[in-house]
Amino acid sequence: MMKHTETNADALEDDLDYQIDASSNESDNDSQSQSSSHEIEANQPSSDASEVKKNKRKRQRQKLKEKKKQKFGTSGKEATSLAHSPDILSDIINNQIRINFKDLSAVELQDRFIKSSYIEDTIDFPNERETGNYPEYVTHAFKKNNQENEFNKVDSNGSPTTLIFCLSALRALDIVKALRKLQTEEFKITKLFGKHIKLDEHIEYCKNNKIGIAVGTPQRILQLTNGNLNFDHLKFVILDYTFTDKKSYNLISNNDCKKPVMEFLTHPSLLKRLSDKTTKICFY
């Protein structure tokens, strides 16, 4: 899961301590240069010293921002490079199917492969793949399929039109928050993840609510596909692919997520809908 060059070693933000092993001649030169620099600094006005401190604080703030990005994951401009054509995405998914189902024969694997025709080509989506652009992306996918009239129609409980798979509960909350403006009484935006929410609670919720878009983790969504969350009206499965965690893993390379994602994508009921072109896979 949608990268400045300075010769000054002190400006490198890699948390490494640099040690220089200098020769005696270099040490003499350093002593002379240090002496000269002290003389220059002594003659510098206080405003220059203030500017140096200001720049130092600015670098420290930038460093903190970068650490926060690494901690919570990233999406957007840097991640947009992960947006590929259906042919490439099909190869990526099928490679993961081979890895996660090693016990299957070549023939059995072939039956589970995701064809490029199963994947909606959204490479022409004009906006950056940032969290805030999710509502536009979902409506864009429906328009491409000439199904804008089907977008917010939910005929039965527990039967969403769109399922969004993401890396974590926190990521799901961010996406749900962005999608809230699409919610109506008959078109719920639902979060589905195991953190602090029991499976029985989700089962009960699915039975009693018309879900338009469900956003959740692969593990919890997979647990709900045994009759509680059905595919009868499912138009799109969206993989939150360009978002990456602090270790630069995305949804289908993260160890906790990749197998349940592959199990869902190769579910017989979903494969039937993909083959019939009633459901499409999208990569955000």
Side-chain angles (χ1 to χ4, degrees):
M1 190 182 266
M2 158 2 344
K3 242 193 169 190
H4 323 310
T5 59
E6 293 182 0
T7 54
N8 182 2
D10 293 335
L12 295 176
E13 298 178 351
D14 54 8
D15 297 326
L16 297 176
D17 293 325
Y18 289 90
Q19 296 181 351
I20 302 173
D21 183 15
S23 66
S24 58
N25 288 337
E26 290 173 329
S27 297
D28 290 341
N29 291 335
D30 287 344
S31 298
Q32 291 173 10
S33 62
Q34 285 174 7
S35 176
S36 299
S37 65
H38 287 319
E39 290 175 8
I40 293 170
E41 286 177 5
N43 294 325
Q44 282 183 332
S46 59
S47 60
D48 287 354
S50 176
E51 187 66 26
V52 169
K53 289 181 180 178
K54 185 179 178 181
N55 290 334
K56 185 177 181 180
R57 286 196 296 269
K58 187 177 179 181
R59 288 197 300 270
Q60 288 173 338
R61 285 196 297 270
Q62 185 62 33
K63 189 174 181 178
L64 283 172
K65 284 182 182 179
E66 292 301 321
K67 284 186 176 180
K68 283 182 181 179
K69 283 182 182 179
Q70 291 173 6
K71 182 177 180 181
F72 295 109
T74 60
S75 65
K77 283 184 179 179
E78 294 178 3
T80 303
S81 61
L82 289 176
H84 300 304
S85 69
D87 287 333
I88 294 174
L89 293 170
S90 173
D91 287 342
I92 292 171
I93 288 292
N94 291 335
N95 186 52
Q96 284 295 330
I97 290 173
R98 289 187 192 93
I99 292 170
N100 287 281
F101 300 107
K102 292 180 179 178
D103 55 328
L104 297 181
S105 67
V107 174
E108 289 172 320
L109 282 173
Q110 194 69 36
D111 291 338
R112 296 197 183 200
F113 281 163
I114 301 299
K115 298 177 182 178
S116 60
S117 60
Y118 297 171
I119 300 171
E120 184 66 34
D121 187 355
T122 58
I123 205 166
D124 63 342
F125 180 61
N127 303 330
E128 293 173 8
R129 305 204 177 205
E130 295 179 339
T131 310
N133 290 330
Y134 251 105
E136 289 74 20
Y137 181 81
V138 174
T139 53
H140 175 80
F142 273 85
K143 286 178 182 177
K144 279 204 67 134
N145 261 267
N146 298 315
Q147 296 190 64
E148 50 264 66
N149 294 330
E150 300 294 320
F151 171 62
N152 55 4
K153 287 184 180 179
V154 181
D155 297 321
S156 58
N157 294 345
S159 187
T161 64
T162 307
L163 274 176
I164 300 177
F165 285 76
C166 50
L167 268 173
S168 66
L170 285 174
R171 177 60 177 164
L173 286 172
D174 286 341
I175 297 172
V176 166
K177 186 178 179 181
L179 290 167
R180 282 293 186 205
K181 65 182 183 180
L182 299 177
Q183 180 167 279
T184 66
E185 192 63 33
E186 298 295 302
F187 190 82
K188 303 283 189 183
I189 310 298
T190 303
K191 52 184 182 290
L192 300 175
F193 50 77
K195 194 171 186 178
H196 308 311
I197 305 174
K198 294 179 180 178
L199 179 60
D200 289 344
E201 292 178 59
H202 273 143
I203 290 173
E204 196 63 26
Y205 184 88
C206 291
K207 285 180 181 177
N208 299 313
N209 287 275
K210 289 184 176 179
I211 301 170
I213 302 174
V215 186
T217 55
Q219 297 89 337
R220 177 48 54 92
I221 293 176
L222 196 61
Q223 288 176 318
L224 291 166
T225 54
N226 295 322
N228 303 297
L229 195 69
N230 67 70
F231 303 154
D232 293 349
H233 302 96
L234 187 62
K235 302 297 182 184
F236 292 101
V237 175
I238 299 178
L239 305 181
D240 190 40
Y241 178 65
T242 56
F243 180 84
T244 58
D245 62 18
K246 61 183 179 180
K247 294 183 179 179
S248 297
Y249 290 120
N250 65 16
L251 182 67
I252 64 171
S253 59
N254 176 281
N255 286 332
D256 294 329
C257 293
K258 57 187 178 183
K259 187 160 187 181
V261 168
M262 296 309 127
E263 287 178 358
F264 181 87
L265 293 180
T266 58
H267 191 289
S269 297
L270 182 62
L271 284 174
K272 177 70 166 61
R273 291 186 65 83
L274 291 169
S275 178
D276 293 342
K277 298 182 180 179
T278 49
T279 300
K280 285 272 196 174
I281 300 170
C282 296
F283 287 71
Y284 189 73

